[in-house]
Amino acid sequence: MRYRAYARALLPALLLLTGAAPSAPAFDLVPLGVNGGVEEPTSAYHITARGARSGVMCDAGTLAASIDQARRRGRYPRAASRQEVMTSISAYLITHAHLDHVAGLVLASPDDTKKDIMALAPVNQAIADHYFNWSAWPNMGDRGASPRLALYHYRDLEPGGPPTAIAGTGMSVTAYRLSHAGSPSTAFLLQNGSEALLCLGDTGPDAVEGSTRLNELWRAVAPLARQGRLRGIVIEASYPDPVPDARLYGHLTPSWLGKELQTLRGMVGDDTRMKALPILVTHIKPSRTSRSSRVDVSRQLKDLGFFNFIVLRQGRAYAL
Ligand SMILES: [Zn+2]
C-alpha cells in the first residue's frame, strides 16, 4: 500500500516530466473581430495571461462595439463596464498599419486611457504619419504633429530582440518580421512565464513573397513547440482555395497555410506535439460570391488533416 501511495504522489510529477499531463491554461483569448476586411468587425484579439488583471490587444481593427458585444455574451465576467475592459488593456500590439487592424483603436481613442502602442518602428511610424496627424484624426500619440496629446506612448520593438515586458500584464513580447505583399507586418510572441502564444498579422507564404520571414519565425518558435510550451498560433487564412499566387496579395489560403505548417512540423520533429498545437485560424475575407468563405476555409482545413485547426469565432472565449 505504501508503494501505491508513493506512486500516486509521484505520478503528477512524472506526467509533468513526460509532458503527458494536461496543463492548465496559461492564456485567455477573446477574438473581438475575425474578418479580414470588407465586413466589420475586423482583426482584434484580446489576450490576457491567466489570472492577470490586465492584458493586451493583438491588433485593434475593432474595439468599443465588439467589447460591448462580448460583454453582453458574458466574456468579461469581472468587468462591469466597457470602460473597465478598455482600462484593463495595457498595450496595443499592432502587426501592421492597415485600417482593418487599427480602425477600432483610432475610433475609440477619445474614450481611452493611457496606453503603449508596441510595434516595429515602421509600423509605429505609419500610425503616427497617417492616423494620429491632426488631419485624419487628432494626434493622440507622443510623436509627430504638434500638439501631441500623448495618450499613447509609441514603443518601437526590435525585431527578434530580447523579450520586452508589458507592464501590468505578467507577459513579455518579442516581435518578428513578416512579409505582407512586400510591406512590413509582424508576428508577436507573447510569453507568460515559461508558456507562449504566437499572434501573427497578415502574411503571404515565403515562396510567393520571395521571403524567408516565416521560415525564420518557425525556426524561432520550434523549440517552444517541441517542449509543449507553445499554447497556440493565431494565423490568417484569408481566402479559400484555389487562388492564383499572383492574386494572394500577401495572404494565405488553407493549402498555403498547410505548407507553411509542414515546414514548422519538420523543425519541431515531434508529431504528437505538432498535432496537439492549436492553430487558431482567422482573418477570413467574406466572399464576393454567395457561398460562405468561412465554410469553405473550414472544410478545406479539415481536408488537410493532421493539424489541430480551430477557426476562431468572434466574441468567443478560448482558454489556451
Ligand atoms: Zn488585414
Side-chain angles (χ1 to χ4, degrees), residues 26-28 47-56 169-171 191-192:
F27 297 93
D28 288 301
I47 299 170
T48 313
R50 188 43 79 96
R53 293 180 67 86
S54 297
V56 298
T169 66
M171 292 187 288
Q191 290 191 263
N192 170 17

Side-chain angles (χ1 to χ4, degrees), residues 35-37 43 96 98 100-101 180 202 236 238 251 283 285:
N35 287 344
S43 275
H96 63 302
H98 284 171
D100 57 322
H101 299 256
H180 174 37
D202 297 2
E236 69 141 282
S238 291
H251 293 294
H283 199 274
K285 288 180 185 275

Side-chain angles (χ1 to χ4, degrees), residues 5 7 52 55 95 102 118 127 143 147 156 183 186 212 226 257 272:
T95 63
V102 294
M118 304 175 80
I127 295 169
R143 280 184 201 168
D156 293 343
S183 63
T186 315
T212 54
R226 193 180 309 122
L257 175 55
T272 310

Side-chain angles (χ1 to χ4, degrees), residues 1 29 33 52 74 87 103 118 123 155 159 164 173 175 177 202 218 223 228 230 233 240 242 260 264 270 298 304 313:
M1 286 309 276
L29 163 69
T87 305
M118 304 175 80
V123 177
R155 288 179 75 182
T164 304
V173 63
R177 283 182 289 199
D202 297 2
W218 301 145
L230 187 59
I233 299 178
E260 286 294 345
L264 175 61
D270 182 334
S298 303
L304 282 178
R313 308 267 303 262

Side-chain angles (χ1 to χ4, degrees), residues 24-90:
F27 297 93
D28 288 301
L29 163 69
V30 179
L32 294 176
V34 295
N35 287 344
V38 185
E39 284 174 26
E40 295 159 71
T42 55
S43 275
Y45 312 94
H46 192 179
I47 299 170
T48 313
R50 188 43 79 96
R53 293 180 67 86
S54 297
V56 298
M57 291 299 307
C58 177
D59 282 336
T62 182
L63 208 59
S66 306
I67 287 174
D68 285 351
Q69 194 183 61
R71 280 175 53 240
R72 285 195 295 273
R73 288 179 180 166
R75 300 304 178 225
Y76 294 111
R78 287 180 310 186
S81 68
R82 178 206 292 176
Q83 197 55 45
E84 278 174 299
V85 176
M86 294 278 291
T87 305
S88 79
I89 297 165
S90 282

Side-chain angles (χ1 to χ4, degrees), residues 111-156:
D111 266 3
D112 208 353
T113 49
K114 266 183 168 306
K115 292 177 179 33
D116 289 343
I117 300 179
M118 304 175 80
L120 295 176
V123 177
N124 272 337
Q125 197 57 47
I127 295 169
D129 287 348
H130 302 302
Y131 301 119
F132 293 133
N133 57 9
W134 287 110
S135 175
W137 204 257
N139 185 0
M140 299 294 193
D142 61 355
R143 280 184 201 168
S146 293
R148 302 177 190 115
L149 303 178
L151 180 72
Y152 301 125
H153 170 52
Y154 295 104
R155 288 179 75 182
D156 293 343

